[in-house]
Amino acid sequence: MSDNFHIPVLSHEAVELLINNDLKKKTYVDGTLGAGGYTRLICENTNDSDKVIAIDKDLNAISFAEKDLEFCANKLTILHGNFGEVKKLLIEIGINSISGIVLDLGLSSFQLEHEEGFSYMRDTQLDMRASKEETLTATDVINEYDAKSLEKLFEEYGDLGKARRLVTAIIAARRKKIIETTFELVEVVENEYKLGRKNRMDFLSKIFQALRIEVNSEMKNLANVLEQSLELTESGGRIVVVSYHSLEDRMVKNFFRDHYYKKQKDDEAGKFLNILTKKPAIPGLQEIKSNRRSRSAKLRAAQII
Ligand SMILES: C[S@@+](CC[C@H](N)C(=O)[O-])C[C@H]1O[C@@H](n2cnc3c(N)ncnc32)[C@H](O)[C@@H]1O
């Protein structure tokens, strides 16, 4: 696999937690195929009679990973779609129960480095759609959202504290000319704030993160996939999530807690979880050294009772 497309993060830890060898005839879902790093490991650690389903909403990722996963063709099905609709995608291919699902959230290095709008370090169209089938772009958000919605978005998704000053600057700039490229947005920010090198990186990363979460409905998709995974996964099966920012991690942590069996009343109906990672697993120093993108990763896993 080419290291340029994406170096997998916490992949051995995630796949080890995903696979429960006590289960017979297993069906595993990798909801975020990317460059295929996790799927490859799942393929290598399951039997020929098991099934592996891998999903990605980015066709570039699928055509890249497909080539690398030919060895697994007998048990692997790759689906183009949104993991927020995992139940529908699986039912369409006749699957209504799975033995576990793994999600490695966010973007691949390829998307960050080659697709439009994700990075403030390259001058491209302000697009940010991980799937070109979606219609909303970051240009639409920046130029069409009203001040209140922009403020809420930057404060909630960018963790920027008070965002009124930033939004006022954006609105003044877009009145003169539509903001269409990453560098045009960077210029608006830099005209308003005098930022040192470290602060500049941090501030721009948060602004771009907030836009990306909005454009790709990341929080809504995560909420949906967690609910549907609980429904789909058989007893003994696992839900494993690697996240890269605190909003995602908090959503996963709260979801696991809300369904934690020790918190349920005796007569409560539904499926419950046992939490396998009391504290999230994080990459070791060696992994962080060799792959800086891994530094914010947090892995949480739970097993269906
Ligand atoms: C961090 S990468 C996964 C890398 C993969 N684990 C590997 O080892 O190569 C995340 C991938 O998830 C995909 N993705 C993000 N949100 C998605 C969604 N809602 N539905 C399907 N795929 C999604 C992205 O397109 C990207 O390819």
Side-chain angles (χ1 to χ4, degrees):
M1 189 196 319
S2 158
D3 283 356
N4 297 332
F5 198 98
H6 185 77
I7 305 173
V9 174
L10 287 171
S11 53
H12 290 274
E13 294 83 345
V15 172
E16 223 164 82
L17 280 161
L18 174 71
I19 292 180
N20 180 353
N21 282 318
D22 294 342
L23 297 176
K24 304 258 147 26
K25 221 162 175 317
K26 298 169 286 249
T27 301
Y28 285 113
V29 176
D30 178 353
T32 50
L33 170 69
Y38 283 28
T39 299
R40 163 176 274 276
L41 283 178
I42 300 170
C43 284
E44 287 170 353
N45 287 283
T46 44
N47 301 320
D48 282 347
S49 57
D50 295 332
K51 282 188 192 142
V52 183
I53 319 293
I55 302 169
D56 206 292
K57 64 180 186 175
D58 186 353
L59 281 171
N60 284 329
I62 291 182
S63 48
F64 178 88
E66 248 165 9
K67 291 180 213 116
D68 197 51
L69 293 166
E70 269 164 17
F71 76 98
C72 185
N74 61 330
K75 57 180 164 180
L76 173 65
T77 308
I78 296 182
L79 302 176
H80 177 224
N82 186 332
F83 62 56
E85 297 179 333
V86 61
K87 191 172 166 192
K88 178 171 153 270
L89 292 171
L90 293 181
I91 285 174
E92 278 168 6
I93 57 165
I95 291 174
N96 51 24
S97 169
I98 60 174
S99 320
I101 179 165
V102 63
L103 301 163
D104 177 21
L105 300 171
L107 300 172
S108 62
S109 306
F110 180 84
Q111 286 168 318
L112 281 166
E113 282 153 23
H114 298 280
E115 294 185 7
E116 291 189 324
F118 291 116
S119 168
Y120 61 84
M121 289 191 271
R122 287 185 306 114
D123 193 14
T124 61
Q125 284 295 308
L126 202 48
D127 185 322
M128 291 203 192
R129 290 170 300 164
S131 160
K132 298 296 178 236
E133 278 155 25
E134 305 290 337
T135 50
L136 183 76
T137 66
T139 302
D140 300 331
V141 173
I142 279 288
N143 292 285
E144 287 167 26
Y145 276 27
D146 62 24
K148 260 211 159 68
S149 312
L150 278 179
E151 252 179 79
K152 185 163 177 281
L153 182 158
F154 287 127
E155 288 170 9
E156 262 179 35
Y157 294 165
D159 205 9
L160 275 167
K162 292 273 166 252
R164 178 160 300 173
R165 181 173 165 198
L166 171 66
V167 171
T168 307
I170 290 172
I171 288 180
R174 79 188 193 189
R175 277 203 190 107
K176 290 185 204 140
K177 187 197 159 296
I178 172 169
I179 302 165
E180 282 177 296
T181 67
T182 51
F183 278 14
E184 283 170 9
L185 178 58
V186 170
E187 196 184 335
V188 173
V189 176
E190 290 189 321
N191 285 342
E192 179 63 26
Y193 297 89
K194 296 288 156 262
L195 300 163
R197 195 172 153 271
K198 164 94 180 56
N199 281 347
R200 176 182 186 272
M201 237 171 74
D202 193 48
F203 196 52
L204 289 172
S205 302
K206 286 176 168 175
I207 293 171
F208 275 62
Q209 170 185 297
L211 288 168
R212 197 197 82 204
I213 293 176
E214 177 70 8
V215 167
N216 295 293
S217 306
E218 291 183 13
M219 300 315 292
K220 191 175 109 208
N221 287 330
L222 179 56
N224 289 345
V225 71
L226 289 171
E227 282 296 343
Q228 292 170 31
S229 299
L230 185 64
E231 241 183 272
L232 288 163
T233 308
E234 64 179 304
S235 172
R238 314 252 172 98
I239 302 175
V240 180
V241 187
V242 178
S243 62
Y244 295 84
H245 58 77
S246 57
L247 279 179
E248 287 171 344
D249 182 54
R250 202 174 315 137
M251 184 177 274
V252 176
K253 183 171 88 180
N254 290 341
F255 182 83
F256 285 179
R257 277 205 187 144
D258 290 347
H259 296 89
Y260 184 35
Y261 75 100
K262 281 195 178 156
K263 277 189 65 192
Q264 312 302 323
K265 303 189 185 74
D266 287 344
D267 58 350
E268 214 162 330
K271 277 189 179 171
F272 304 124
L273 295 172
N274 190 13
I275 299 170
L276 302 176
T277 45
K278 297 293 173 221
K279 280 204 171 135
I282 54 173
L285 279 179
Q286 203 48 48
E287 181 163 9
I288 295 175
K289 244 190 188 166
S290 60
N291 180 11
R292 260 183 67 73
R293 288 236 162 87
S294 70
R295 68 193 184 282
S296 54
K298 286 194 173 147
L299 184 164
R300 293 186 188 270
Q303 175 165 318
I304 316 291
I305 301 282

